[in-house]
Amino acid sequence: MKSIRSFVKALNTNYYSDFIVDPYSDLTDFSEQILLVRYKNADYYEKSLEAIHLIQREILLNVQSLYQKALTDLYIRLANKTGENFTSLLALNIQALKVTMDMLKNDFYIDDSKSRYYSTIVDTDYIGKGESRKIDIDNYPIDGHFIKIIKKWVVEEQELKEEMDEYESFYHIGYHTKRFKVLSYLPYALWHISLKFIEDLKHAKSIILEENEANPSGGKLKWSGKKTHIGFIIGTLAAEGYIDPPKLKNEDVNYTAFSKLIKQVFDVEVGYDTLRKYLNPDDEKFQENKATFEKENFHLPHKKMVS
């Protein structure tokens, strides 16, 4: 399910790094309406909202392409029923996407420190934090002329300071609102894409469950013997020429692939590694079973002997 992993990875990516550049980078385009921000204790230029919107479109086009590939792979695997515990894999992917959705939901709120998009406009840090200039009236003439000017200046500075304390940035509230909408748009869109894919996974899971209910064995032959017996018996059939098992390039039997084929045909609770050992005549597990069966006079002639 490589395509599904690639799709989920794209959903989990922190794309805010695509929207900012190092202040000393040659990629900085000063012709844009760039914004100096502090992100993770470092200063960056945030690209213009128009540039960010274009980048977001490219990201979503890529995510949509990965979504289609993941969906195609999902239903191909469902049709072929390849792989063990497919239902469990679906359930794990659903849980992983739920975690992703929680993270993306935090990203909606870019002014919250829990968001991976959280940054502060640098001018915010300096407003209202400067010390007022100290005035020593005794240093000025006492004719009252300068005192009136100074008092007026003190009042104006205090009013300006109070105004700066009230507002968080020199950027008007409309800009902050637009910036919030633009930056939160991508995680919001990815959240909905994640939700849609969860529904696709649940649909695939329901198809499997319906088939299992209609045919409890899942179309497989039920193995009634011991789980160790199936490897020895089918391994013996292959060794005596009755079954043509999958081969490696050097023509040796591929016991891993052989065990997977058996699991597709038989309903038996045995792991691949265990089954592989009992299939291989050179393995001591196969020999242990062989001794047990021969003790009960079990004998399977080579196919050429009975042809």
Side-chain angles (χ1 to χ4, degrees):
M1 303 178 78
K2 183 178 179 180
S3 59
I4 295 178
R5 289 195 297 271
S6 298
F7 171 62
V8 174
K9 181 180 179 181
L11 293 174
N12 279 290
T13 299
N14 177 10
Y15 291 104
Y16 185 67
S17 59
D18 293 343
F19 306 153
I20 55 178
V21 293
D22 188 283
Y24 304 102
S25 171
D26 294 335
L27 300 176
T28 304
D29 185 358
F30 289 98
S31 65
E32 293 185 4
Q33 187 184 354
I34 55 178
L35 179 70
L36 189 61
V37 297
R38 181 154 300 132
Y39 179 64
K40 294 183 177 179
N41 299 319
D43 289 347
Y44 298 92
Y45 280 125
E46 187 177 276
K47 297 179 182 180
S48 70
L49 298 183
E50 291 76 13
I52 290 174
H53 178 66
L54 292 176
I55 296 170
Q56 288 175 332
R57 287 184 59 185
E58 293 178 1
I59 291 170
L60 286 175
L61 285 173
N62 179 59
V63 171
Q64 288 170 1
S65 175
L66 292 172
Y67 172 86
Q68 292 298 329
K69 291 178 181 178
L71 193 61
T72 300
D73 184 36
L74 172 65
Y75 282 100
I76 287 176
R77 290 177 64 89
L78 184 61
N80 295 332
K81 296 180 182 177
T82 57
E84 187 184 23
N85 299 325
F86 192 44
T87 304
S88 298
L89 288 173
L90 293 177
L92 289 172
N93 276 291
I94 289 172
Q95 291 303 315
L97 282 168
K98 286 182 178 179
V99 173
T100 295
M101 289 179 68
D102 288 340
M103 181 172 58
L104 290 170
K105 192 172 183 179
N106 287 334
D107 288 343
F108 292 173
Y109 308 103
I110 64 167
D111 51 357
D112 190 307
S113 60
K114 290 188 293 185
S115 171
R116 293 177 297 168
Y117 290 66
Y118 176 72
S119 63
T120 56
I121 298 175
V122 168
D123 76 311
T124 302
D125 293 343
Y126 303 108
I127 295 176
K129 295 182 180 179
E131 294 184 3
S132 298
R133 283 171 285 178
K134 295 180 180 179
I135 302 169
D136 189 353
I137 296 179
D138 294 334
N139 293 332
Y140 291 87
I142 58 174
D143 61 1
H145 178 70
F146 286 104
I147 293 177
K148 290 180 181 179
I149 294 175
I150 293 167
K151 284 183 177 179
K152 182 175 181 296
W153 178 82
V154 171
V155 171
E156 288 178 349
E157 183 177 63
Q158 184 61 33
E159 290 176 350
L160 179 62
K161 186 176 185 302
E162 290 174 356
E163 182 179 350
M164 287 181 174
D165 285 337
E166 181 179 355
Y167 295 101
E168 293 186 353
S169 174
F170 286 131
Y171 294 90
H172 58 80
I173 191 66
Y175 178 83
H176 284 283
T177 302
K178 184 177 180 181
R179 178 174 179 266
F180 182 95
K181 289 181 178 179
V182 170
L183 290 180
S184 63
Y185 170 74
L186 182 60
Y188 185 71
L190 295 176
W191 186 89
H192 279 279
I193 294 173
S194 302
L195 179 62
K196 179 63 174 64
F197 197 68
I198 284 180
E199 294 302 317
D200 294 326
L201 293 174
K202 287 181 177 178
H203 179 63
K205 189 176 178 181
S206 67
I207 292 175
I208 296 174
L209 293 175
E210 288 175 3
E211 288 185 353
N212 290 343
E213 289 177 0
N215 186 357
S217 66
K220 297 181 180 181
L221 296 172
K222 178 69 176 178
W223 182 261
S224 298
K226 291 179 66 175
K227 62 182 181 181
T228 56
H229 291 168
I230 189 171
F232 167 74
I233 292 174
I234 294 181
T236 301
L237 286 170
E240 300 301 338
Y242 295 93
I243 293 176
D244 187 14
K247 304 285 183 63
L248 298 169
K249 290 182 179 180
N250 61 4
E251 292 301 315
D252 288 342
V253 176
N254 185 337
Y255 289 104
T256 299
F258 198 4
S259 63
K260 289 182 178 180
L261 286 174
I262 292 171
K263 292 279 288 182
Q264 290 177 26
V265 175
F266 290 93
D267 180 15
V268 56
E269 295 183 1
V270 61
Y272 290 127
D273 288 339
T274 300
L275 185 54
R276 181 167 49 81
K277 292 176 181 178
Y278 284 97
L279 281 170
N280 187 354
D282 295 329
D283 194 285
E284 61 179 13
K285 295 296 183 183
F286 181 95
Q287 294 300 324
E288 288 175 3
N289 260 336
K290 182 179 180 182
T292 301
F293 274 75
E294 288 180 347
K295 184 178 180 181
E296 300 299 327
N297 298 318
F298 173 83
H299 175 69
L300 181 67
H302 194 278
K303 71 173 185 178
K304 292 180 179 180
M305 297 177 63
V306 292
S307 296

